[in-house]
Amino acid sequence: MDKLEMRHTLLAAKARKKMSWDDIGKAVNMSPVWVASACYGMNSASQEVAAKLCDTLGVESDVTDALVAFPTKAWDEAIPQDPFIYRLYEVVGVYGETLKDVVQEKFGDGIMSAIDFTMEVDKIEDPKGDRVLLTMNGKFLPYKSW
Amino acid sequence: MDKLEMRHTLLAAKARKKMSWDDIGKAVNMSPVWVASACYGMNSASQEVAAKLCDTLGVESDVTDALVAFPTKAWDEAIPQDPFIYRLYEVVGVYGETLKDVVQEKFGDGIMSAIDFTMEVDKIEDPKGDRVLLTMNGKFLPYKSW
Amino acid sequence: MDKLEMRHTLLAAKARKKMSWDDIGKAVNMSPVWVASACYGMNSASQEVAAKLCDTLGVESDVTDALVAFPTKAWDEAIPQDPFIYRLYEVVGVYGETLKDVVQEKFGDGIMSAIDFTMEVDKIEDPKGDRVLLTMNGKFLPYKSW
Amino acid sequence: MDKLEMRHTLLAAKARKKMSWDDIGKAVNMSPVWVASACYGMNSASQEVAAKLCDTLGVESDVTDALVAFPTKAWDEAIPQDPFIYRLYEVVGVYGETLKDVVQEKFGDGIMSAIDFTMEVDKIEDPKGDRVLLTMNGKFLPYKSW
Amino acid sequence: MDKLEMRHTLLAAKARKKMSWDDIGKAVNMSPVWVASACYGMNSASQEVAAKLCDTLGVESDVTDALVAFPTKAWDEAIPQDPFIYRLYEVVGVYGETLKDVVQEKFGDGIMSAIDFTMEVDKIEDPKGDRVLLTMNGKFLPYKSW
Amino acid sequence: MDKLEMRHTLLAAKARKKMSWDDIGKAVNMSPVWVASACYGMNSASQEVAAKLCDTLGVESDVTDALVAFPTKAWDEAIPQDPFIYRLYEVVGVYGETLKDVVQEKFGDGIMSAIDFTMEVDKIEDPKGDRVLLTMNGKFLPYKSW
Amino acid sequence: MDKLEMRHTLLAAKARKKMSWDDIGKAVNMSPVWVASACYGMNSASQEVAAKLCDTLGVESDVTDALVAFPTKAWDEAIPQDPFIYRLYEVVGVYGETLKDVVQEKFGDGIMSAIDFTMEVDKIEDPKGDRVLLTMNGKFLPYKSW
Amino acid sequence: MDKLEMRHTLLAAKARKKMSWDDIGKAVNMSPVWVASACYGMNSASQEVAAKLCDTLGVESDVTDALVAFPTKAWDEAIPQDPFIYRLYEVVGVYGETLKDVVQEKFGDGIMSAIDFTMEVDKIEDPKGDRVLLTMNGKFLPYKSW
Amino acid sequence: MDKLEMRHTLLAAKARKKMSWDDIGKAVNMSPVWVASACYGMNSASQEVAAKLCDTLGVESDVTDALVAFPTKAWDEAIPQDPFIYRLYEVVGVYGETLKDVVQEKFGDGIMSAIDFTMEVDKIEDPKGDRVLLTMNGKFLPYKSW
Amino acid sequence: MDKLEMRHTLLAAKARKKMSWDDIGKAVNMSPVWVASACYGMNSASQEVAAKLCDTLGVESDVTDALVAFPTKAWDEAIPQDPFIYRLYEVVGVYGETLKDVVQEKFGDGIMSAIDFTMEVDKIEDPKGDRVLLTMNGKFLPYKSW
């Protein structure tokens, strides 16, 4: 079973179980964003978490192996088209240089890791329209001189 | 004076004054990320904030007009090359679909606005290596049916 | 049933029923452009509208779920090739900067939303050749300072 | 004087005169969108309109020749980056196929001309947020068989 | 039956009948270039011509519907690779600007329509090597001012 | 003097002399399309024609050398943007495969040369709108087997 | 049978017969490079050569028709990736301008035809490492003035 | 002096001296193609050859250093546009796979080097039109297993 | 059996046998990186090594032929997306010019061969985080003058 | 002084001083590859190293500030063209997937850092042709689950 088939199996099971990512996250004791990314095939799970996840969603154990396998991460479009994802791309385009300057002023020459990295989504209710709160947390890696 | 010349003038003045983005943000009573984006020419400032900014950095008043002008936002590279900015692009590629699913499950069919949008940068000190905390806050816009 | 299969089912049913988009729009009490976009898989319908639509076109109820699902919007060609669609792209290329200036002069620094957005098509009969009237109506979103 | 220099001259004169596109449109008896497009170098003006325009904005008569010259229309980015213009591009991507179907159902096999074409911008005041009304009006051109 | 299947059916029938495009053009009373483009799926035929065409080539009547359907025109390669088609692309690249100037000098600011357009191919016999005569005939469309 | 400077010089002289491409073509006894292409720097002229051309337009003799030099042909945009030139590109996209089939049926496996090639532009007056007649004439080159 | 199926059939037959391109070239009295290109579907064969080729390789006669059919030449990658083919591409990039100058100095303004064109491959044994000798022979085509 | 300035200097000197590449090649005892490539900045010369070349063309000795410098080889267009160079690119596209097969059958798995590589141009006079003979000679490099 | 099917067969067999690349490398007496590249279809094996490899992994002998076949090397993405591979691409982008200068200073004008080339991977244990040691070893090829 | 001007200054000084990267590396007590990358503007130096470097090369102290500034890393070509750099790109294309598998088998799911990263170049003398030894050493970063 490859990551694509795994993803279809898991998303179908999730729909059948009528569980949200929050529900599943709680059940396997991981963050909902990470759980979703693992089900989408963009992260690998430990044997233990994979087993718990399959158990929670009631899928057969061969899905476990697919969850544990190391993914090859790829995306279809260099410039994303779906408006939800494009807006994130636009933020990187518009604010990329700004963020580099603000972060490097605070931390020195280096980058925010996208590997040693976590992310959360929250909902802020607001009578003028609810707001999405997206929190990214990445280790700062200074460039090495040698 | 166009946005590019304005940017050079403001960044040079900032270096001369040895002020950080935090310092300037406090002086003009705005967030450091927004202030940096305005100085980089990616956002327009109100007349009042622009005046305060020029005053703080000790630049001539013709810079004010450039700060107030509405920018045409653009970036050089469809796929960014600088490692700092590329990591943000990679996050969008790797987690874009995941975020769309997690957010739309919570909010319904729609997007997080990149216009009615704010962003903050914080430093979390950590003995295993400091961490960058990036917080994005955007209004949720539901798709309209008509 | 995914959006693609849904689309084939609905377009085939529409041909069988010999109904126009205007007819269908009236039957489900929505605008013909929106109805068409939902059938093409580019917008999600509410449970109620989806049910009415399936009823009107005489398709089975599993199509309802596909209509209600939140789409991932995508298009094949960064630069469209079909002459009908290319002409719209050309209008954006030729008049994009002009429209930005005219609208921002009237409304301030911001954008016309493509999410809180409606569109209509009308036919203006004219002895020298009928004319297409395309009306777009989008909420103005001012850029936030923070 | 080429179109680029003409554009800088005219936009500077407009700023100096503190006239809006509406004001200038009225003064030369043309639509504000068309006037803006001519000043941006994307349409040619008749000798008479060009002269009136230069007179209105108080620029020298050599600008007239540049306004009358036939432009080579071009835009910098196949996929626009500025959020205002990108939203229009997104509308073409998301709704292009839908519009083709709706229009061709009403008019037959053919296109909406982008040459025999006019466009207007209006502001609809709305307590929940003002709205941009964009009206495009193009001659329908049926494909020829031969 | 979609345009692709239609095309395979019609080209196979043409081979079976050993008819040239000239023969078919005569049989249906249309130009050979147009007939070929309709069979390739790049133009729609009237009900009457489609019926005559199917009759001439001895294919079943469901092909008629496919011929009558309005095509979505597309081509595989932004820059064509087959040497025959590339040479045409090269002509556009080498002579595009020249033709724009020569035509606009004769006709005013506008374009040659590719919609209200016909094309013929002729063979000029020549002892030094036969020559291809390609004749394009398109309506001139002047840009509208408004 | 390179081809670009030569082009500016010749187009300015042409404007000053108020001569059309037809006028210049007659004066140097060559076709107006070819003359225009040589002035645009897309073809080289013989010493004799170059001298006559400079004489006709009243430019200094160093332009002659630039006209005689062999050009490196190039164009800015793989997909042209100006609507006049784009329509020609669209014709190649829409009809390329059709023309290949029609021509190769008449001539055998090979191409129409874009080197041993001539082109003319004519105006057909028509009360319903004048028409552009574009005639291309290229030597047929059969593929060699060896 | 299309060119792709033909190619698989012919390459499989060649492997079965354990014949080299030299062997096959001799058997059908054509050059090995041309024979290979015809089997790869990049050139059409005459009826006679096609028949001899099918006979030599012991394949059924329907392959003959595919060999005789006029190919649409295409390649997958604008910039080739396989190191063997990339090196040829690199030679064109590094030496293209040089070759243009050297050839045009010798022959006048024009090109080397890729249609009226032959090519041979030879092996030069050398104790320091054998060498590939690639010989291209194309008709010079002078640009036409008209 | 960089390679670009060097190139302009050398080509101007060559024109002034009215020497052909053959003449210069003979004078410096190198092949005309290599000499041209060195003057175009695509190969470095030894100190001795560079000095002889400058002497032959009567240019100052600072050009010597530029000739000796190791070039960064680059070309403007991934897909060349000038018809002369495009035809070479087309040969690689059309015959690349064929050549790979023919050469690897003769030599084993490996490539023809584009570094340990020489090239010659010859003119074959022919009453039906002269022919260009292009000879490439590259060391065969077998892939290493380890 | 083509290279793709071969790859699936070999990777599945490797998983079944629970052998690492090091284990397999030892068993067939080749380097683990080379063995992996051959199993991925990016290098051809000698008859002898291929047989040993099939024997080691317990796959049928038709896989041997696929291993011996000369591959056409290709990769999906001009700019890789998986973070592991992208980091290597980034190293080439950031350090490419630097390496060219350092190597050419040491060796003269030329390149490091990617054909006569070997590569090893080692693990350096480190309490602050293990390190990957990647060693590339390529023959230096000097550019030829001729 | 920006990084580009700094680079020209430092490379000119290096040529004047006739020092190799090895010499400079020893003088400032850093690795030659890192020193070269800092002079090319691809890494920032500490205040101390920058001062020593300027001292060693005899350039003025304003170069120090440019060396200390944090660079924006960028490269001109998504696919490099110079043969030296292309070969490195080819290695990533041909062996990228292989290396990912070999490394992840040894280390787990993660990447080799290109930030916490060092690189060395060595020359291995060999009578059959000297060899380039390129050693990359990057920290392994495991993907985080959260």
Side-chain angles (χ1 to χ4, degrees):
Chain A
M1 178 180 285
D2 65 11
K3 291 276 181 190
L4 191 61
E5 199 186 335
M6 172 199 87
R7 168 183 165 162
H8 289 313
T9 307
L10 288 169
L11 292 183
K14 173 177 181 291
R16 230 167 24 237
K17 290 267 177 181
K18 291 185 198 303
M19 294 180 80
S20 68
W21 293 115
D22 277 351
D23 297 339
I24 305 175
K26 265 172 218 143
V28 304
N29 210 25
M30 301 293 292
S31 152
V33 174
W34 181 85
V35 169
S37 78
C39 292
Y40 269 89
M42 285 305 221
N43 270 315
S44 63
S46 68
Q47 189 67 39
E48 189 200 332
V49 168
K52 244 192 288 181
L53 195 48
C54 291
D55 198 51
T56 300
L57 289 172
V59 296
E60 294 185 33
S61 64
D62 59 340
V63 180
T64 311
D65 290 350
L67 274 162
V68 167
F70 301 165
T72 293
K73 304 181 182 191
W75 46 97
D76 285 348
E77 301 152 330
I79 299 178
Q81 292 182 318
D82 183 83
F84 185 94
I85 305 177
Y86 183 81
R87 295 308 179 270
L88 297 173
Y89 171 82
E90 191 177 276
V91 165
V92 175
V94 172
Y95 293 102
E97 236 179 347
T98 292
L99 288 173
K100 178 175 152 73
D101 191 340
V102 171
V103 170
Q104 293 186 338
E105 191 180 76
K106 269 192 158 69
F107 291 79
D109 195 7
I111 66 156
M112 176 179 81
S113 179
I115 306 297
D116 187 336
F117 174 86
T118 68
M119 190 160 36
E120 304 299 337
V121 167
D122 290 290
K123 184 177 187 170
I124 308 180
E125 306 214 343
D126 185 323
K128 283 175 301 182
D130 293 345
R131 300 186 73 85
V132 182
L133 188 73
L134 196 60
T135 317
M136 300 181 181
N137 178 319
K139 191 177 181 182
F140 180 76
L141 304 177
Y143 283 110
K144 199 179 183 78
S145 307
W146 71 93
Chain B
M1 179 180 283
D2 65 12
K3 291 276 181 190
L4 190 61
E5 199 188 334
M6 173 199 87
R7 168 183 165 162
H8 290 313
T9 307
L10 289 169
L11 292 183
K14 174 176 181 292
R16 233 172 16 240
K17 291 268 177 180
K18 292 186 197 300
M19 295 179 79
S20 69
W21 293 114
D22 276 351
D23 296 338
I24 305 176
K26 264 171 218 144
V28 304
N29 211 24
M30 302 292 293
S31 151
V33 174
W34 180 85
V35 168
S37 77
C39 292
Y40 270 89
M42 284 306 220
N43 270 315
S44 63
S46 68
Q47 190 67 39
E48 190 201 330
V49 168
K52 244 191 288 181
L53 195 49
C54 292
D55 198 52
T56 301
L57 290 171
V59 296
E60 293 185 33
S61 63
D62 59 340
V63 180
T64 311
D65 290 351
L67 274 163
V68 167
F70 301 166
T72 293
K73 305 181 181 190
W75 45 96
D76 284 348
E77 301 152 330
I79 299 178
Q81 292 182 317
D82 183 83
F84 185 94
I85 306 179
Y86 183 81
R87 297 307 180 271
L88 298 172
Y89 172 82
E90 192 177 276
V91 165
V92 175
V94 172
Y95 293 101
E97 237 178 346
T98 292
L99 288 173
K100 178 176 152 74
D101 191 338
V102 171
V103 170
Q104 292 187 339
E105 191 180 76
K106 269 191 159 69
F107 291 79
D109 196 6
I111 65 157
M112 177 180 79
S113 179
I115 307 296
D116 187 336
F117 175 87
T118 68
M119 190 161 36
E120 304 299 339
V121 168
D122 289 290
K123 184 175 187 170
I124 308 180
E125 308 213 342
D126 186 322
K128 283 176 300 185
D130 294 344
R131 299 186 73 85
V132 182
L133 188 74
L134 196 60
T135 318
M136 301 181 182
N137 178 320
K139 191 177 181 182
F140 179 76
L141 303 178
Y143 282 110
K144 200 179 183 77
S145 307
W146 72 92
Chain C
M1 178 179 285
D2 65 11
K3 292 276 179 190
L4 191 61
E5 199 188 334
M6 173 199 86
R7 168 184 165 160
H8 289 313
T9 308
L10 289 169
L11 293 183
K14 173 177 181 291
R16 232 168 21 238
K17 291 266 176 180
K18 291 185 199 300
M19 295 180 78
S20 70
W21 293 115
D22 277 351
D23 296 339
I24 305 175
K26 263 171 219 143
V28 304
N29 209 25
M30 302 293 292
S31 152
V33 174
W34 180 85
V35 168
S37 77
C39 292
Y40 269 89
M42 285 305 221
N43 269 315
S44 64
S46 68
Q47 190 66 40
E48 190 201 330
V49 168
K52 244 191 289 180
L53 195 49
C54 291
D55 198 52
T56 301
L57 289 171
V59 295
E60 293 185 33
S61 64
D62 59 339
V63 180
T64 312
D65 290 351
L67 273 162
V68 167
F70 302 166
T72 292
K73 304 181 182 189
W75 45 97
D76 284 348
E77 300 152 331
I79 299 178
Q81 292 182 318
D82 183 82
F84 186 94
I85 306 178
Y86 183 81
R87 296 308 179 271
L88 297 173
Y89 171 82
E90 192 177 276
V91 165
V92 175
V94 172
Y95 293 102
E97 237 180 346
T98 292
L99 288 173
K100 177 175 152 75
D101 190 340
V102 171
V103 169
Q104 293 187 337
E105 190 180 77
K106 267 192 160 66
F107 290 79
D109 195 6
I111 66 158
M112 178 179 79
S113 178
I115 307 295
D116 187 337
F117 175 85
T118 68
M119 190 161 36
E120 304 299 340
V121 167
D122 289 290
K123 184 177 188 169
I124 307 180
E125 307 215 341
D126 185 323
K128 284 175 300 184
D130 294 344
R131 300 186 73 84
V132 182
L133 189 73
L134 196 61
T135 317
M136 300 180 182
N137 178 320
K139 191 177 181 183
F140 180 77
L141 304 178
Y143 283 109
K144 201 180 181 76
S145 307
W146 72 93
Chain D
M1 179 179 284
D2 64 11
K3 290 277 181 190
L4 190 62
E5 199 188 335
M6 173 200 86
R7 168 184 165 161
H8 289 313
T9 306
L10 288 168
L11 292 183
K14 174 176 180 292
R16 235 172 14 241
K17 290 268 177 179
K18 292 186 198 300
M19 296 181 78
S20 69
W21 293 114
D22 277 352
D23 296 339
I24 304 175
K26 263 172 220 142
V28 304
N29 211 23
M30 301 293 291
S31 152
V33 174
W34 181 85
V35 169
S37 77
C39 292
Y40 270 90
M42 285 307 221
N43 269 316
S44 64
S46 68
Q47 189 67 38
E48 190 200 331
V49 168
K52 243 191 290 181
L53 194 49
C54 291
D55 199 51
T56 301
L57 290 171
V59 296
E60 293 185 35
S61 64
D62 59 339
V63 180
T64 311
D65 290 351
L67 274 163
V68 168
F70 301 166
T72 292
K73 304 180 181 192
W75 46 96
D76 285 348
E77 301 153 329
I79 299 178
Q81 293 183 317
D82 183 82
F84 185 94
I85 305 178
Y86 183 81
R87 297 307 179 271
L88 297 172
Y89 172 82
E90 191 176 277
V91 165
V92 175
V94 172
Y95 293 102
E97 237 179 346
T98 293
L99 288 173
K100 178 175 151 75
D101 190 341
V102 171
V103 169
Q104 293 187 338
E105 190 181 77
K106 269 191 159 66
F107 290 79
D109 195 6
I111 65 156
M112 178 180 78
S113 179
I115 307 297
D116 187 336
F117 175 87
T118 68
M119 189 161 34
E120 303 299 339
V121 167
D122 289 290
K123 183 176 187 170
I124 307 181
E125 308 214 342
D126 186 321
K128 283 176 300 182
D130 294 345
R131 299 187 73 84
V132 182
L133 189 73
L134 197 60
T135 317
M136 301 181 180
N137 179 320
K139 192 177 181 183
F140 180 76
L141 304 178
Y143 283 108
K144 199 179 183 78
S145 307
W146 72 93
Chain E
M1 180 179 284
D2 65 11
K3 291 276 180 189
L4 190 61
E5 199 188 334
M6 173 199 86
R7 168 183 166 161
H8 290 313
T9 307
L10 289 169
L11 293 183
K14 172 177 181 292
R16 232 166 23 236
K17 291 268 176 179
K18 291 185 199 301
M19 296 180 77
S20 69
W21 293 114
D22 276 351
D23 297 338
I24 304 174
K26 263 171 220 144
V28 304
N29 211 24
M30 301 293 291
S31 152
V33 174
W34 181 86
V35 168
S37 76
C39 292
Y40 269 89
M42 285 306 222
N43 270 315
S44 63
S46 69
Q47 189 68 39
E48 190 202 331
V49 168
K52 243 191 289 179
L53 194 49
C54 291
D55 198 51
T56 301
L57 290 172
V59 295
E60 293 186 33
S61 64
D62 59 339
V63 180
T64 312
D65 291 349
L67 273 162
V68 168
F70 301 166
T72 292
K73 305 180 182 190
W75 45 97
D76 284 348
E77 300 154 332
I79 299 177
Q81 292 182 318
D82 183 82
F84 185 94
I85 306 178
Y86 184 82
R87 296 306 180 272
L88 298 172
Y89 172 82
E90 192 176 277
V91 165
V92 175
V94 172
Y95 293 102
E97 236 179 347
T98 292
L99 288 173
K100 177 175 151 75
D101 190 340
V102 171
V103 170
Q104 293 187 338
E105 189 179 78
K106 268 193 158 65
F107 290 79
D109 195 7
I111 65 158
M112 177 179 80
S113 180
I115 307 297
D116 187 337
F117 175 87
T118 68
M119 190 160 37
E120 304 299 340
V121 167
D122 288 291
K123 185 176 187 168
I124 307 179
E125 307 215 342
D126 186 322
K128 283 176 302 185
D130 294 344
R131 299 187 73 84
V132 182
L133 189 73
L134 196 61
T135 318
M136 300 180 183
N137 178 320
K139 190 177 181 181
F140 180 77
L141 304 178
Y143 283 109
K144 201 179 181 77
S145 307
W146 72 93
Chain F
M1 180 179 282
D2 65 11
K3 290 277 179 190
L4 190 61
E5 199 187 335
M6 173 200 86
R7 167 184 166 161
H8 289 313
T9 306
L10 288 168
L11 292 182
K14 173 176 181 292
R16 232 170 17 240
K17 291 268 177 181
K18 290 186 199 302
M19 296 181 77
S20 70
W21 293 114
D22 276 353
D23 297 338
I24 305 175
K26 263 172 220 143
V28 304
N29 210 23
M30 302 292 293
S31 153
V33 174
W34 181 86
V35 168
S37 78
C39 292
Y40 269 89
M42 285 306 221
N43 270 314
S44 64
S46 68
Q47 189 69 39
E48 188 200 333
V49 168
K52 241 192 290 179
L53 195 48
C54 290
D55 198 50
T56 301
L57 290 172
V59 296
E60 296 186 31
S61 64
D62 59 339
V63 180
T64 312
D65 291 352
L67 274 163
V68 168
F70 301 166
T72 292
K73 305 182 181 190
W75 46 96
D76 284 348
E77 300 154 330
I79 300 178
Q81 293 182 317
D82 183 82
F84 185 94
I85 305 178
Y86 183 81
R87 296 308 180 271
L88 298 172
Y89 172 82
E90 191 176 279
V91 165
V92 174
V94 172
Y95 293 102
E97 236 178 347
T98 293
L99 287 173
K100 177 175 152 76
D101 190 341
V102 171
V103 170
Q104 293 187 338
E105 191 180 76
K106 268 191 158 66
F107 290 80
D109 195 7
I111 65 156
M112 177 180 79
S113 179
I115 307 296
D116 188 336
F117 175 86
T118 67
M119 189 161 36
E120 303 299 340
V121 167
D122 289 290
K123 184 176 187 169
I124 308 180
E125 306 216 342
D126 185 322
K128 283 177 301 185
D130 294 345
R131 299 187 73 84
V132 182
L133 189 73
L134 196 61
T135 317
M136 301 180 182
N137 179 319
K139 190 177 183 182
F140 180 76
L141 305 178
Y143 282 108
K144 198 179 183 78
S145 307
W146 71 94
Chain G
M1 179 179 284
D2 64 11
K3 290 277 180 190
L4 190 61
E5 200 188 334
M6 173 199 87
R7 167 184 166 161
H8 289 313
T9 307
L10 289 168
L11 293 183
K14 172 176 182 293
R16 232 169 20 238
K17 291 268 177 180
K18 291 185 199 299
M19 296 181 77
S20 69
W21 293 115
D22 276 352
D23 296 338
I24 305 175
K26 263 172 219 142
V28 304
N29 211 23
M30 302 292 292
S31 152
V33 174
W34 180 86
V35 169
S37 78
C39 292
Y40 269 89
M42 286 306 221
N43 269 315
S44 63
S46 69
Q47 189 67 41
E48 190 201 333
V49 168
K52 242 191 291 178
L53 195 49
C54 291
D55 198 51
T56 302
L57 290 172
V59 296
E60 294 185 33
S61 64
D62 58 340
V63 180
T64 312
D65 290 351
L67 274 162
V68 168
F70 301 166
T72 292
K73 304 181 181 188
W75 46 96
D76 285 348
E77 301 154 330
I79 299 178
Q81 292 182 318
D82 183 82
F84 185 93
I85 306 178
Y86 183 81
R87 296 306 180 272
L88 298 172
Y89 171 82
E90 193 177 276
V91 165
V92 175
V94 171
Y95 294 102
E97 236 178 348
T98 292
L99 288 172
K100 178 176 152 74
D101 191 340
V102 171
V103 170
Q104 293 187 338
E105 191 181 76
K106 269 193 158 65
F107 291 79
D109 195 7
I111 65 157
M112 176 179 80
S113 179
I115 307 297
D116 188 337
F117 175 88
T118 68
M119 190 160 37
E120 303 299 339
V121 168
D122 288 291
K123 184 177 188 169
I124 308 180
E125 307 214 342
D126 186 323
K128 282 176 302 183
D130 294 345
R131 300 187 73 83
V132 182
L133 189 73
L134 196 61
T135 318
M136 301 180 182
N137 178 320
K139 190 178 182 182
F140 180 76
L141 304 178
Y143 283 109
K144 200 179 181 76
S145 306
W146 73 94
Chain H
M1 180 179 282
D2 65 11
K3 290 276 180 191
L4 191 61
E5 199 187 335
M6 172 199 86
R7 168 183 166 163
H8 289 313
T9 307
L10 289 168
L11 293 183
K14 172 177 183 292
R16 232 169 18 238
K17 291 267 177 182
K18 290 186 199 300
M19 296 180 79
S20 69
W21 294 114
D22 276 352
D23 297 338
I24 304 175
K26 263 171 221 143
V28 304
N29 209 24
M30 301 294 291
S31 152
V33 174
W34 181 86
V35 168
S37 77
C39 292
Y40 268 90
M42 286 307 221
N43 269 314
S44 64
S46 67
Q47 189 69 39
E48 189 201 333
V49 169
K52 242 192 291 179
L53 194 49
C54 291
D55 198 50
T56 302
L57 289 171
V59 296
E60 295 185 31
S61 64
D62 58 340
V63 179
T64 312
D65 290 350
L67 273 163
V68 168
F70 301 167
T72 292
K73 304 181 182 191
W75 45 97
D76 284 348
E77 300 154 330
I79 300 177
Q81 292 182 318
D82 183 81
F84 186 94
I85 305 178
Y86 184 82
R87 296 307 180 270
L88 297 173
Y89 171 82
E90 192 176 278
V91 165
V92 175
V94 172
Y95 293 102
E97 235 178 348
T98 293
L99 288 173
K100 177 175 152 75
D101 191 341
V102 171
V103 171
Q104 293 187 338
E105 190 180 78
K106 268 192 159 64
F107 290 79
D109 196 6
I111 65 158
M112 177 179 78
S113 179
I115 307 296
D116 187 337
F117 175 87
T118 68
M119 190 161 35
E120 304 299 339
V121 168
D122 289 291
K123 185 176 186 170
I124 307 179
E125 306 215 342
D126 186 322
K128 284 177 300 185
D130 294 345
R131 299 187 72 85
V132 182
L133 188 74
L134 196 61
T135 317
M136 300 180 183
N137 179 319
K139 189 176 183 182
F140 180 76
L141 305 178
Y143 282 110
K144 199 179 183 78
S145 306
W146 72 93
Chain I
M1 179 178 286
D2 64 12
K3 291 276 181 190
L4 191 61
E5 200 188 335
M6 172 200 87
R7 167 183 166 162
H8 289 313
T9 306
L10 289 169
L11 292 183
K14 172 176 182 291
R16 232 171 17 241
K17 292 267 177 180
K18 291 184 198 301
M19 296 180 78
S20 68
W21 293 115
D22 276 352
D23 297 338
I24 305 175
K26 264 169 220 143
V28 303
N29 211 23
M30 302 293 292
S31 152
V33 174
W34 181 85
V35 169
S37 78
C39 292
Y40 270 89
M42 285 306 221
N43 270 315
S44 64
S46 68
Q47 190 67 40
E48 189 201 332
V49 168
K52 242 191 291 180
L53 194 49
C54 291
D55 199 52
T56 302
L57 290 171
V59 297
E60 294 185 31
S61 63
D62 58 340
V63 180
T64 312
D65 291 351
L67 274 162
V68 167
F70 300 166
T72 293
K73 304 181 181 190
W75 46 96
D76 284 349
E77 301 153 330
I79 300 178
Q81 292 182 317
D82 183 83
F84 185 95
I85 306 177
Y86 183 81
R87 295 308 179 271
L88 298 173
Y89 171 82
E90 192 177 275
V91 165
V92 175
V94 172
Y95 293 102
E97 237 179 346
T98 293
L99 288 173
K100 178 175 152 72
D101 191 340
V102 171
V103 171
Q104 294 187 337
E105 191 181 76
K106 270 192 158 65
F107 290 79
D109 196 7
I111 65 156
M112 176 180 79
S113 179
I115 307 297
D116 188 336
F117 174 88
T118 68
M119 189 161 36
E120 304 299 339
V121 167
D122 288 290
K123 185 176 186 168
I124 308 180
E125 307 214 343
D126 186 323
K128 282 176 300 183
D130 294 345
R131 300 187 73 83
V132 183
L133 189 73
L134 196 61
T135 318
M136 301 181 181
N137 178 320
K139 191 178 182 181
F140 180 76
L141 304 178
Y143 283 108
K144 200 179 182 77
S145 305
W146 72 94
Chain J
M1 179 180 283
D2 66 11
K3 292 276 180 190
L4 191 61
E5 200 188 333
M6 173 199 87
R7 167 183 167 163
H8 289 313
T9 307
L10 289 169
L11 293 183
K14 173 177 182 292
R16 233 172 15 241
K17 291 267 176 179
K18 291 186 199 297
M19 296 180 78
S20 69
W21 292 116
D22 276 351
D23 297 338
I24 305 175
K26 264 171 219 143
V28 304
N29 209 26
M30 302 293 291
S31 151
V33 175
W34 181 85
V35 168
S37 77
C39 292
Y40 269 89
M42 284 306 220
N43 269 315
S44 63
S46 68
Q47 189 68 39
E48 190 200 332
V49 168
K52 243 191 290 181
L53 194 50
C54 291
D55 199 50
T56 302
L57 290 171
V59 295
E60 294 186 31
S61 65
D62 60 338
V63 180
T64 312
D65 291 351
L67 273 162
V68 167
F70 301 167
T72 292
K73 305 182 180 189
W75 46 96
D76 283 349
E77 300 153 330
I79 299 177
Q81 293 182 317
D82 183 83
F84 185 94
I85 306 179
Y86 183 82
R87 296 308 180 270
L88 298 173
Y89 172 82
E90 193 177 276
V91 165
V92 175
V94 172
Y95 293 102
E97 236 179 346
T98 292
L99 288 173
K100 176 176 151 73
D101 191 340
V102 171
V103 170
Q104 293 187 339
E105 191 181 77
K106 267 192 161 66
F107 291 79
D109 195 6
I111 66 159
M112 177 180 78
S113 180
I115 307 296
D116 187 336
F117 174 87
T118 68
M119 191 161 35
E120 304 299 339
V121 167
D122 289 291
K123 185 175 186 171
I124 307 180
E125 307 214 343
D126 185 323
K128 283 176 300 184
D130 294 344
R131 299 186 73 84
V132 182
L133 188 74
L134 195 60
T135 317
M136 299 181 183
N137 179 319
K139 189 176 181 183
F140 180 76
L141 304 178
Y143 283 109
K144 199 179 182 76
S145 307
W146 73 93

